[in-house]
Amino acid sequence: MKIAIMGAMPEEIAPILEKLGTYKTTQYAKNNYYEASYKGVDLVIAYSKIGKVFSTLTATTMIEHFGAEKLLFSGVAGAISPALKVGDLVVATKLSQHDLDITAFGHPFGYVPEGSVYVETDKELIALSKLVAHEMNKNVKEGVIATGDQFVANEERKNWIGATFSADALEMEGASVAVVCDALDVPFFILRAISDAADMDASFSFDEFLQTSAQESAEFVMKMVDKLAR
Ligand code: ADE
């Protein structure tokens, strides 16, 4: 089995590469892809760069060029739900693009014809994450994640996204990865650790907690890989 592990930023995959120690680096489509064999499974690892376009390219490449059969995304997010604090882990149940807007034509936010407002994640991988959370004695929350090409540092925008999509957290890649995996029929899992509250202090909080939160998320994803390897 070949599993893709994807992040958006170097900090999001660094803990995974560190854990592996040795891997093969391949350049493709102006990005680096890292391949390794880990406990009998083949891994392809990459960070896409930030945003929906780069993450679409990387997810597609991991599946179509490198042959990934499952995709696990690890990274950080801004909290919308007041119940989510810095360092908390959120597993996406479904994802939506909060900046997709053809409402001028009477469609809901996040919708284009022949698409859907939400893309659901794989139920088996969510079930596996529950097992991992139990074994790690971690309180992992499930929720809706909203994605857009904006770093949200504004209470009003955050609240609008929360209200419009019933979203618990927001970030900049999950929904585009979801669209790719759904279209190509590849089971996928999107995990995020909270780095900020998407409010006026978000950029400072992000800078302060990116590394530690990314590490939290990466550790959890590697435990998922341990389980998938069995
Ligand atoms: N990822 C982490 N925090 C974020 C924020 N506030 N906005 C968008 N993406 C994020």
Side-chain angles (χ1 to χ4, degrees):
M1 185 183 12
K2 196 168 212 178
I3 301 173
I5 307 176
M6 179 178 168
M9 301 173 69
E11 291 85 349
E12 292 172 330
I13 64 157
I16 293 159
L17 295 179
E18 237 165 71
K19 188 176 167 81
L20 295 175
T22 53
Y23 43 83
K24 176 182 146 201
T25 305
T26 305
Q27 284 196 339
Y28 186 84
K30 293 194 177 168
N31 202 5
N32 284 332
Y33 290 84
Y34 308 100
E35 291 173 279
S37 173
Y38 174 78
K39 299 188 178 177
V41 293
D42 293 327
L43 300 179
V44 55
I45 301 145
Y47 73 90
S48 58
K49 299 184 280 290
I50 294 165
K52 293 194 295 179
V53 173
F54 284 128
S55 57
T56 298
L57 174 62
T58 296
T60 306
T61 299
M62 286 173 131
I63 296 165
E64 291 287 289
H65 185 76
F66 288 94
E69 295 156 288
K70 286 187 200 296
L71 187 149
L72 311 177
F73 191 105
S74 178
V76 300
I80 299 175
S81 162
L84 290 171
K85 305 295 179 206
V86 167
D88 285 354
L89 291 170
V90 195
V91 168
T93 52
K94 56 182 184 175
L95 300 101
S96 191
Q97 297 180 61
H98 67 70
D99 57 352
L100 189 55
D101 179 357
I102 57 162
T103 56
F105 297 92
H107 295 296
F109 284 103
Y111 178 85
V112 291
E114 298 179 52
S116 60
V117 175
Y118 297 100
V119 179
E120 288 186 9
T121 52
D122 184 68
K123 296 209 171 34
E124 280 178 31
L125 289 171
I126 290 190
L128 190 68
S129 76
K130 286 188 176 144
L131 205 68
V132 170
H134 180 74
E135 283 186 12
M136 290 177 81
N137 201 19
K138 275 206 186 289
N139 181 18
V140 179
K141 299 188 176 75
E142 288 175 22
V144 177
I145 291 183
T147 302
D149 284 326
Q150 302 166 344
F151 183 83
V152 178
N154 177 308
E155 200 94 29
E156 211 178 310
R157 176 73 188 160
K158 164 176 99 161
N159 290 337
W160 179 85
I161 294 167
T164 306
F165 298 96
S166 303
D168 300 289
L170 55 83
E171 35 82 313
M172 302 179 69
E173 298 83 18
S176 37
V177 170
V179 168
V180 168
C181 292
D182 178 62
L184 296 174
D185 209 13
V186 168
F188 69 102
F189 177 76
I190 311 271
L191 181 72
R192 295 282 185 169
I194 299 300
S195 57
D196 60 85
D199 56 8
M200 62 188 285
D201 298 323
S203 59
F204 306 104
S205 182
F206 181 90
D207 281 344
E208 189 175 350
F209 297 111
L210 167 63
Q211 216 164 352
T212 48
S213 292
Q215 172 96 34
E216 281 284 320
S217 178
E219 258 174 44
F220 192 94
V221 156
M222 285 312 284
K223 289 275 195 288
M224 297 267 302
V225 175
D226 286 344
K227 286 262 180 273
L228 289 167
R230 283 201 196 127

